[in-house]
Each structure stands twice: as C-alpha cells, then as structure tokens.
Amino acid sequence: MSAQDFLVELGTEELPPKALNTLADAFLAGIEKGLQAAGLNFETKHVYAAPRRLAVLITALETQQPDRSINLDGPPRQAAFDADGNPTQAALGFAKKCGVDLSEIDQSGPKLRYSQSIKGKPTASLLPTIVEDSLNDLPIPKRMRWAARKEEFVRPTQWLVMLLGDQVIDCTILAQKAGRDSRGHRFHHPQSVRITSPANYLADLRAAYVLADANERRELISKRTEELATLQEGTAIVPANLLDEVTALVEWPVPLVCSFEERFLEVPQEALITTMQDNQKYFCLLDAEGKLLPRFITVANIESKDPQQIVAGNEKVVRPRLTDAEFFFKQDKKQPLESFNERLRNVVFQEKLGSVYDKAERVSKLAAFIAPRIGGDAQRAARAGILSKCDLSTEMVGEFPEMQGVAGYYYALNDGEPQDVALALNEQYMPRGAGAELPTTLTGAAVAIADKLDTLVGIFGIGMLPTGSKDPYALRRAALGVLRILIDKQLDLDLNDAVAFAVNAFGSKVKAAGLADAVLEFIFDRLRARYEDEGVDVATYLSVRALKPGSALDFDQRVQAVQAFRKLPEAAALAAVNKRVSNLLGKAEGNIAATVEAKYFDNANEFSLYSAIQQADQAVQPMAAARQYSETLARLAALREPVDAFFEAVMVNAEDANVRANRYALLARLRGLFLGVADISLLG
C-alpha cells in the first residue's frame, strides 16, 4: 500500500505561551487517535509549536484506508420471531440499529447476524474530519470568536496548510481554506512562505526566520544563555517553566545581556529575581557565591541590526519594577518587624479560629513546646513564632506575595534578631512541596512543625476535613511536611504530646472530643502513600501502624526494620506463627496465666521454647531501648526453630486448664517480643 507524508499547520494570532506545549501535545494526540480509529498506519509522528502556529507531521501515512468488515450479533432466533414466524420487536429493533431492512439480516444461525463489508476511503477524504475533531477537542478553557465569524478557537486563525505528499487537502477548517502557503517571521519575513513538501516544512520556515520546532528553540535559548552568563562570569537562573514560557514567546530567539544599577542590589535579591522572572521573563545572573549580579538576559524575537536598542529598551522597562521593590523595602524598614503584628489583629485567618495574629501567638507557644523536645531553644522558637506572620502585612509582601517568609528574614536581620530566628521566618513554610528544601535550623523546624500542626488541629477542630480532591487549607501537604521534617531530619518528637498541646491552645474554639486522635490518624495515614512511593509493602506499614507509635521517626525506624526482616528466610514462617498465636490468644478470653510456670510443662519442646524466649528477651531489651529494631528482629528470627518444634509437639489447648493457661502465657511472651517492634502477624 502506498504512503505519503502528511502535514497540517494551523496559523493563528499569538497563542498563550503557558499553554502552548499543552495545546501542541493535545493536537498531536487527537490526530493520532483519529488515524488509529480510521485504521491508518504510519511510521513517525512529530509536533511543532511556535507563537503563531501549531503543526503536526506524520511520515509514511497510508494513502488508502483498508477495507474492513462489521459483524453484529442480534437476539436469538426464538426471541426474534413468535410462534407464527412473525418478527418480534427485538428483531425489528436490531434491524433498525443496523440501518437495514430485516430481510438483509442473516437468520440462518442460532442468533440473528448482520455482516457488512465496508470499503476503505482515500486518506485525503478522512483527514479534514480528523484534524477538525482534534482541534475541537483541544483543552481550551475559554474559546473566543473574532470579527463576525461563528467559529471559536483559543486565538483568531490566519492560515491553514494541509498537505498529503504534494497534494493540498481541499477543505476549510476554522474559517481557513487549506493551502500550501504558511507565513514567516512577522518582521523578518512577513510575506507568505510556500511549503514545498511536508518533509521540508522545518527548512522552508527556517529560511523565513521561523524555528518551528520548540525543542530546537528551547535548546538554542538554553545554550546561548549559558554562554552569555559565562562571559559575564556568572551563572544564569533558568527555571524549567520560565524557559518553556520564553520558548513559546519567540519564533527566532536572540538572547541579549542587559544590566541595571548596582544600587538595587541592596534590595533582597529574591524580590528582584521574582519581579524580573515573573513580570519581564528575564533570566537573572548569579556570581560564584550565589549573589545576584546587576545584569540579566532577555530573549529578543528579532535579529536586530542594532541590538543595543533592544538592550536599552529592556533596561528602561525593568527600572521602574526594581524601583518599586526598592521603595517597598525601604518603607518597611522604617519600623520594627514586630510592629506589623498590630495590622494582623484585624486580618482573619479563619472566621471561627480568629485572626492571623491569634495564629502567630499559638504557633509561638507550640514552637516553644516543641523546640526543646527536638534539641532546640524554646525562647528562640517562641520569638520566631511571634514574628512568623509579621511580613504578611508589609508593603513588600503586599506587592510580591512570593516574598512571604523571605521578606521577614531580611527585616528580622535588620532588627538584629538572631540568625536562626530570622531564618525560621522563611523556614516555617518548608517544605514548600514534594521533595522541596527542609528547614536548616532547629528553630526553623520547630516553627514549621508548629505552624502546620496548628493549621491541622484548627481546621479539623471546626469540622472542615479535606474531601476527595478538595483541600483548601492544604492539610495533606501540611501533614506530609511535618512527617518529612521529623523523619528526614531525624527529629524524635512525640506527636501525641504536640497535638494535645495544640488542641488545648485553641480552647473552646474547637471541638476537642476525639480531635487529637483524628489529627494523628490523618497525619500517620499520609505515611502510607510515602512508603508506597518508596516501594515499601503496605503490609509492612500496617504492621507498624497497629502499634500506633507517636514519633514519626520511631515509626520510620520500625518500618525500615520490618522491611529488612521480611527478606530473612525465617520471616514468612514467623509471620504465620504470629498470626496463629494472635488468633489463639484472641480466643483465650482472659484464660491466660499471669506468669509462665515451668512446673506445668510436660514436654521438652516447651522447656526449649521457654528457654529460647528468656534468652531472646535478655538479648533484645537493650536493643529495643536503643531502637535497634533491625537487630532486634534479626535476633528474634532465631526463635523459628524452637517455635516450629513447639507447635509440632505441643497441643496448646490442653484439657488441663492450668496447663492450657500456662501455654497461653508462654505464647503471649513470644508475641510480646515481636510486638516490641511491630505486629508481624499482619505480614502473612
């Protein structure tokens, strides 16, 4: 079967840069879906996207749809005809469904059957519908109309190229009649560009100053930006999302170095970087020590004969932005950071939970409670807590919301606060996402944990639990943040005590009954997903969860120990034994002796197991005290042999009540050793 390359390019006004990649990928996916549904094979697929165009190239596409047959089974013959041989509604309905008369239905088999052979159509006749359907299915939140047309798209369309080999596909889509003429760069080559063939698409546009391949533009921008930064003896900050956005803004990228006055460097560099990245789409430069250089890189969309004009224009535009940041910074520093708390008395945190200042007071007290328990300083944690929300009412954060925490850090240093107190004002928000940076100071860790626990307890306490995908107060992220700080930084905090303290701090504002248990359950449930991501079996998590450890660090140490234990050859048998013992003890209903009495033993295997348990108990006690859980379980694995021998030779439910109770006591001792780490009966 013959094959030809297929190209479709839709030309538009400038597309939304942040959505360009998504639109391009969806366009390709839609066309591929349509081709597969039509039974059309091809070799490769490519998608191209630039500010004014979306294009898809399919190589070696079959030019003729293959013939296919349809076989539909209908109702059984006895249901299709009555006793007199007349067709029933079931038969007539099946014929109607097939779009034919009943006489055309095969009635010779046990069921009615309709078979039809459908001749394949030329690919050229199928492509307009495939392309149109793909465009209609693009993820466009809000479509627009233009002029007096009824067609709708994300931006007004300007031209359409559709080629199958050398043939132009005759169609009109989104008010554009298909042809082979595209358009070049808006300024370098505003006239039309004739696409000689689908395979020459990129080359034809490159000659017209358009790099249609987004990957090529992205790589060019990245490489040239790095080269320019090196020439400036710096390193460019190139966030992936900013690089994608800049790539989507230009057709012919030309990176250029610009500068600004050094006096602006007195402003926190985070504010300068934020405004240059978010508002101007610039790449900022850092020196070898991570300090901002008074230079930045802009990416022009034109190869100017006088690039200095573009540089001067960008320097002129950025100056007011930096001046604003400088003004806000100087204004805020005219008063102590703590004074901004007065404004927060009138800012509502949550209607039922009080103001943001109320939250700061609670966080201060809770942080002071937590700090000494994780090795920190209570007074510094309390100080950081009371200052933690101050910068929310500053001019700087009002203009640059991303500066919350960071602004507080600089203002605290300006007021002479200790370094760890200042750092804590930013570290309270850490981690800001999955895998993000954790607090570096114990003061910061205490405030971060306190802030998150306060939110969890407060929101749970007024009954606003997260449901499904709705989590307006980011409680899941808060719980995960607490766990990450405690586990990854090896901080041993009993969350039972901390949560109970947080509940008491709210007083009558929350419903305290059962609140602490609900919050703790929610927090430790987050660990399940964490361990699943790490490849830890759910049963391992559940075996530790059954013991309800209050410390996240302790919980994690037990999980790691059980995970290691499961790899031992004795693990499966001991898990099964623990399950059997658990069931036996569950049915004992109090018929268990307080202590094990050797005088009731009547079997050598009972003596052997008792002796092995006593030796194991002595060995693991110091291990358990030191939380050497892996070593504990490895030592207990040696009990397999005497345990197996015991169950082979001994009838636990002996007729003599004293003997039976004594054997239950022996098994309870055995199970108690393992429960010192986890309930391994759940591993079976």
Side-chain angles (χ1 to χ4, degrees), residues 322-630:
L322 303 184
T323 301
D324 285 347
E326 180 185 46
F327 172 77
F328 295 135
F329 184 57
K330 288 181 176 179
Q331 282 294 107
D332 289 337
K333 288 199 299 180
K334 289 180 180 179
Q335 60 189 97
L337 177 61
E338 190 172 6
S339 67
F340 287 97
N341 261 335
E342 291 303 312
R343 300 184 187 179
L344 297 178
R345 294 181 187 274
N346 300 316
V347 179
V348 176
F349 164 61
Q350 204 287 331
E351 184 181 2
K352 297 179 181 179
L353 301 177
S355 68
V356 175
Y357 178 72
D358 293 334
K359 179 175 177 62
E361 285 192 312
R362 291 193 305 270
V363 168
S364 176
K365 294 173 183 176
L366 182 54
F369 175 82
I370 291 171
R373 287 165 173 77
I374 60 173
D377 182 276
Q379 288 187 333
R380 291 193 176 186
R383 181 62 180 166
I386 204 66
L387 296 175
S388 61
K389 307 303 174 187
C390 289
D391 68 353
L392 296 180
S393 59
T394 62
E395 300 292 336
M396 177 70 81
V397 174
E399 179 67 18
F400 305 109
E402 303 86 351
M403 287 291 291
Q404 69 177 30
V406 177
Y409 164 74
Y410 284 102
Y411 296 149
L413 286 182
N414 184 67
D415 291 347
E417 298 287 351
Q419 178 75 10
D420 63 332
V421 171
L423 280 170
L425 305 191
N426 183 38
E427 293 180 341
Q428 65 176 307
Y429 298 107
M430 296 178 180
R432 287 183 164 87
E437 184 182 0
L438 294 174
T440 59
T441 66
L442 290 173
T443 301
V447 177
I449 295 168
D451 181 54
K452 292 168 178 60
L453 289 182
D454 178 81
T455 300
L456 283 162
V457 169
I459 302 304
F460 263 73
I462 57 174
M464 296 182 65
L465 282 65
T467 56
S469 60
K470 293 183 179 179
D471 188 8
Y473 288 92
L475 300 185
R476 294 186 183 93
R477 189 172 69 188
L480 284 168
V482 169
L483 293 168
R484 269 203 65 206
I485 293 170
L486 293 174
I487 294 173
D488 294 0
K489 290 185 68 66
Q490 300 282 294
L491 302 177
D492 192 14
L493 174 69
D494 190 327
L495 286 172
N496 294 311
D497 297 339
V499 170
F501 188 97
V503 171
N504 291 333
F506 277 98
S508 61
K509 291 180 180 178
V510 297
K511 296 179 181 179
L515 177 55
D517 289 340
V519 172
L520 288 165
E521 188 79 17
F522 181 79
I523 292 174
F524 282 106
D525 277 352
R526 301 309 105 199
L527 274 177
R528 179 168 183 161
R530 173 186 168 119
Y531 288 130
E532 285 179 354
D533 291 342
E534 293 176 359
V536 175
D537 194 274
V538 172
T540 299
Y541 161 80
L542 293 174
S543 72
V544 177
R545 188 78 182 93
L547 271 59
K548 296 189 175 181
S551 164
L553 177 61
D554 184 43
F555 195 117
D556 184 67
Q557 290 169 339
R558 292 172 186 264
V559 165
Q560 303 307 330
V562 174
Q563 190 72 353
F565 170 75
R566 297 190 71 176
K567 298 176 182 177
L568 300 178
E570 301 89 352
L574 286 172
V577 164
N578 268 267
K579 190 170 186 178
R580 181 177 178 182
V581 170
S582 177
N583 291 335
L584 285 168
L585 296 177
K587 297 174 183 177
E589 298 180 353
N591 297 318
I592 304 174
T595 59
V596 179
E597 298 285 348
K599 65 182 180 180
Y600 292 116
F601 293 160
D602 62 5
N603 188 298
N605 291 294
E606 286 185 273
F607 284 101
S608 296
L609 179 58
Y610 183 46
S611 176
I613 289 174
Q614 287 181 311
Q615 292 175 24
D617 194 10
Q618 283 186 329
V620 301
Q621 277 186 13
M623 296 179 188
R627 291 190 180 175
Q628 296 174 331
Y629 298 125
S630 293

